């Protein structure tokens, strides 16, 4: 059976909205998750990333509501199985349930813009949220939720921010309210993605170049099932270590330096600063080189950079885990004769998923082989799926305006 289209998912979510709130939804909004092909832990160092939005989405169905007790947004999330009622105010504080902090931050962001006269006042809203992005799998489910919510708010307000401005508002919401000092990659991908393309984003000046996904390339996602919460401090620590390394190197960000310069400064850097910086500067070089290889259709060269990226994330950046290392080693063992060009962990790490570049005409069999070999050798089985490159956030009018 063909997988559901975004429109199908919006219709299903609208039906769930009608069932819960006993009236029809007026707007649907969708935002995709992403798989990062290469360029890991570079975005908050002003570096390069190469994400591809995937055919997994957060969907929000929305309708306006007038409330006597002031403007509020009432959300029911089928994705997490719970609800929350949020006041529309320019300041927001972290509260329970924790998943709603993402929404509190986005709502406060638009509310601040409205207060500054840069956006219409937000109407009260009822929202129903669904998602088919595995949560905590390194596929940007939170960014997708934030961008889908922002897109629904814009539909309801009748005004949209430029996509990169929306991405930044959502990134700030995640940083302030959800406690992850993330970069711009996930939100930019959810807001700006184009079908059939990966995006080469320069996180220094936020310029974006579309890199077509070659027709003979299949992108497989191998979910280890191991979950890791980036809000637990490990991500924050990496960020601080990079800032300290940049300081020691006398540059504003690690983007401003090079592998040769970091190597030359090795004696002046403590071992942790050296390892973190050496990963980042080389990952920037690899990301540009992998994008260039993909543009030429040279899958073997692109894939080689993925293996190198994984090794660096494991040994220098220290964000891998046994399960991800096992998946990548098995993919490497199958190799080009078995139709695999490269593999690496994708996203923040410490768990989550690996991305595998495979030959398109045998993708399903290759995915099944990876799962089977991991099971046979290590006694656990990852979930493998084929990812299709899709466009960024979109709105859908569900009812004719009266
Ligand atoms: C998470 C963050 C991103 C990025 C990656 C690592 O996904 O949200 O901004 O830093 O980790 O590349």
């Amino acid at each position: 059976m063909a997988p559901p289209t975004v429109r199908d998912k919006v219709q299903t979510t609208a039906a769930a909205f009608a069932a819960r709130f006993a009236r029809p939804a007026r707007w649907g909004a969708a935002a995709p998750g992403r798989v990062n092909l290469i360029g890991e832990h570079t975005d908050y160092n002003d570096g390069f990333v190469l994400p591809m939005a995937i055919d997994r989405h957060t969907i929000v169905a929305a309708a306006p509501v007038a409330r006597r007790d002031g403007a509020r947004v009432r959300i029911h999330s089928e994705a997490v199985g719970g609800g929350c009622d949020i006041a529309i105010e320019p300041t927001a504080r972290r509260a329970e349930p924790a998943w709603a902090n993402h929404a509190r931050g986005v709502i406060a962001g638009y509310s601040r813009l409205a207060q500054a006269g840069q956006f219409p006042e937000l109407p009260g809203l009822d929202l129903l949220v669904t998602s088919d992005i595995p949560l905590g799998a390194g596929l940007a489910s939170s960014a997708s939720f934030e961008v889908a919510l922002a897109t629904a708010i814009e539909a309801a307000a009748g005004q949209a921010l430029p996509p990169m401005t929306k991405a930044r508002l959502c990134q700030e919401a995640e940083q302030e309210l959800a406690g992850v000092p993330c970069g711009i990659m996930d939100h930019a991908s959810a807001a700006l993605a184009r079908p059939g393309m990966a995006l080469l984003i320069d996180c220094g000046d936020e310029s974006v170049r579309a890199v077509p996904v070659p027709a003979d390339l299949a992108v497989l996602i191998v979910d280890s099932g191991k979950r890791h919460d980036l809000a637990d401090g490990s991500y924050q620590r990496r960020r601080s270590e990079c800032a300290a390394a940049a300081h020691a190197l006398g540059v504003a960000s690690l983007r401003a330096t090079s592998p040769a310069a970091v190597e030359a400064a090795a004696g002046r850097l403590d071992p942790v600063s050296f390892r973190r910086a050496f990963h980042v500067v080389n990952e920037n070089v690899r990301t540009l080189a992998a994008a260039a290889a993909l543009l030429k259709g040279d899958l073997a060269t692109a894939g080689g950079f993925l293996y190198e990226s994984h090794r660096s994330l494991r040994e220098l950046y220290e964000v891998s885990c046994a399960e991800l290392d096992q998946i990548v080693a098995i993919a490497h063992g199958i190799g080009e004769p078995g139709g695999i060009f490269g593999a690496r962990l994708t996203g923040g790490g410490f768990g989550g998923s690996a991305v595998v570049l495979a030959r398109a005409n045998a993708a399903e069999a290759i995915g099944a082989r990876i799962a089977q070999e991991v099971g046979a050798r290590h006694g656990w089985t990852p979930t493998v799926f084929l990812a299709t490159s899709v466009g960024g956030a979109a709105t859908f009018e569900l009812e004719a305006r009266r």
Side-chain angles (χ1 to χ4, degrees), residues 34 36 39-44 182-186 230 235 347-348:
R34 61 100 191 95
N36 188 22
E40 218 65 85
H41 290 280
T42 46
D43 60 353
Y44 53 82
C182 60
I184 193 68
M185 166 169 70
D186 302 350
L230 291 182
Y235 184 93

Side-chain angles (χ1 to χ4, degrees), residues 251-323:
V251 289
S253 78
L254 291 177
R255 163 63 181 280
T257 185
S258 65
V262 173
E263 215 154 13
R268 292 192 279 121
L269 295 174
D270 67 84
V272 170
S273 293
F274 175 78
R275 287 203 297 277
R276 305 302 186 246
F278 206 55
H279 164 75
V280 171
V281 291
N282 282 294
E283 186 77 352
N284 279 331
V285 174
R286 280 189 288 268
T287 303
L288 290 175
L294 283 179
L295 281 166
K296 281 194 288 191
D298 181 352
L299 303 182
T301 299
F305 290 120
L306 267 72
Y307 290 129
E308 280 183 28
S309 169
H310 185 79
R311 198 176 318 126
S312 177
L313 288 161
R314 187 184 67 217
E315 292 170 7
L316 300 177
Y317 219 71
E318 299 172 278
V319 292
S320 190
C321 64
E323 292 82 351

Side-chain angles (χ1 to χ4, degrees), residues 298-386:
D298 181 352
L299 303 182
T301 299
F305 290 120
L306 267 72
Y307 290 129
E308 280 183 28
S309 169
H310 185 79
R311 198 176 318 126
S312 177
L313 288 161
R314 187 184 67 217
E315 292 170 7
L316 300 177
Y317 219 71
E318 299 172 278
V319 292
S320 190
C321 64
E323 292 82 351
L324 291 169
D325 292 345
Q326 289 164 4
I327 294 167
V328 172
I330 292 219
H332 191 249
I334 295 172
E336 262 194 86
I340 292 181
F341 302 105
R344 55 182 287 279
L345 74 81
T346 188
F350 305 101
S353 304
V355 55
V356 175
L357 303 189
R359 209 182 291 287
N361 60 10
E364 305 245 319
I366 293 168
R369 180 166 172 198
I370 295 171
Q372 187 272 327
E373 288 197 17
V374 172
R377 199 167 319 160
H378 301 292
W380 62 277
T381 305
T383 310
V384 185
F385 63 93
L386 184 63

Side-chain angles (χ1 to χ4, degrees), residues 87-337:
I88 300 177
E89 292 169 347
T91 50
R93 250 179 293 281
R94 289 186 203 179
E96 291 298 323
W99 63 265
N101 285 330
H102 300 271
R104 292 185 185 100
V106 172
I107 291 164
Y110 281 96
S111 182
R112 274 198 292 276
L113 287 179
Q115 199 179 44
Q118 292 162 6
F119 198 79
E121 285 298 330
L122 303 197
L125 289 171
D126 281 344
L127 305 175
L128 191 128
V129 183
T130 64
S131 172
D132 59 357
I133 309 171
L135 304 181
L139 303 174
S141 56
S142 337
S144 149
F145 172 41
E146 288 147 3
V147 173
L149 172 61
T151 306
I153 286 174
E154 293 183 351
Q159 190 172 311
L161 300 175
M164 194 54 107
T165 310
K166 172 165 73 175
R168 252 184 261 120
L169 184 152
C170 292
Q171 177 200 13
E172 279 160 26
E174 175 132 2
Q175 291 183 335
E176 286 165 24
L177 270 294
V180 182
C182 60
I184 193 68
M185 166 169 70
D186 302 350
H187 302 91
S189 170
L192 295 159
R194 290 171 50 190
M197 306 280 171
L199 297 184
L200 177 62
I201 306 174
D202 178 340
C203 301
D205 64 10
E206 294 184 350
S207 59
V208 177
R209 176 166 183 201
V211 176
V213 178
D216 52 347
L217 174 67
V219 177
L220 291 170
I221 292 173
V222 185
D223 181 358
S224 71
K226 183 171 177 201
R227 296 294 177 250
H228 183 87
D229 181 4
L230 291 182
D232 75 351
S234 39
Y235 184 93
Q236 163 79 66
R237 210 154 36 245
R238 292 299 180 284
R239 233 194 129 134
S240 314
E241 288 163 353
C242 287
H247 183 75
L249 288 159
V251 289
S253 78
L254 291 177
R255 163 63 181 280
T257 185
S258 65
V262 173
E263 215 154 13
R268 292 192 279 121
L269 295 174
D270 67 84
V272 170
S273 293
F274 175 78
R275 287 203 297 277
R276 305 302 186 246
F278 206 55
H279 164 75
V280 171
V281 291
N282 282 294
E283 186 77 352
N284 279 331
V285 174
R286 280 189 288 268
T287 303
L288 290 175
L294 283 179
L295 281 166
K296 281 194 288 191
D298 181 352
L299 303 182
T301 299
F305 290 120
L306 267 72
Y307 290 129
E308 280 183 28
S309 169
H310 185 79
R311 198 176 318 126
S312 177
L313 288 161
R314 187 184 67 217
E315 292 170 7
L316 300 177
Y317 219 71
E318 299 172 278
V319 292
S320 190
C321 64
E323 292 82 351
L324 291 169
D325 292 345
Q326 289 164 4
I327 294 167
V328 172
I330 292 219
H332 191 249
I334 295 172
E336 262 194 86

